[in-house]
Amino acid sequence: MGWHKPIKPNKRTDLIHQTGRLKHKVTIVDADESFHGVNVKVRDFRGEEYWTTLDDVELDNEKDPAATESLGETRY
């Protein structure tokens, strides 16, 4: 077996701005999917961001309105 180029993960834009819970409420700010599963970058209530797996997040199935407004999107 020789050297293999790393596989670039697929961006999961459908998860960005979703809210969910680890041990506290978080907002997903980035998401990638690769052979090993889905990794999400989350922001907690203190503003700290870190990566975890999607399996560790219980999704609320709602968008964070503050996150979408910060991107200039309009809510109706």
Side-chain angles (χ1 to χ4, degrees), residues 33-62:
E33 182 174 26
S34 68
F35 175 76
H36 300 289
V38 178
N39 292 316
V40 292
K41 185 176 186 181
V42 297
R43 180 182 307 124
D44 65 16
F45 64 95
R46 294 178 297 253
E48 295 180 26
E49 295 182 356
Y50 52 92
W51 286 92
T52 189
T53 66
L54 183 59
D55 294 335
D56 292 338
V57 179
E58 181 182 328
L59 292 177
D60 295 337
N61 291 319
E62 63 183 49

Side-chain angles (χ1 to χ4, degrees), residues 6-72:
I7 298 172
K8 183 178 179 183
N10 297 320
K11 186 65 69 179
R12 290 290 306 266
T13 57
D14 60 316
L15 293 171
I16 298 173
H17 302 302
Q18 289 282 332
T19 60
R21 297 190 182 278
L22 288 166
K23 292 183 180 178
H24 50 272
K25 190 166 187 154
V26 295
T27 298
I28 297 173
V29 295
D30 202 356
D32 293 321
E33 182 174 26
S34 68
F35 175 76
H36 300 289
V38 178
N39 292 316
V40 292
K41 185 176 186 181
V42 297
R43 180 182 307 124
D44 65 16
F45 64 95
R46 294 178 297 253
E48 295 180 26
E49 295 182 356
Y50 52 92
W51 286 92
T52 189
T53 66
L54 183 59
D55 294 335
D56 292 338
V57 179
E58 181 182 328
L59 292 177
D60 295 337
N61 291 319
E62 63 183 49
K63 297 280 187 175
D64 181 353
T68 55
E69 288 175 359
S70 68
L71 290 177

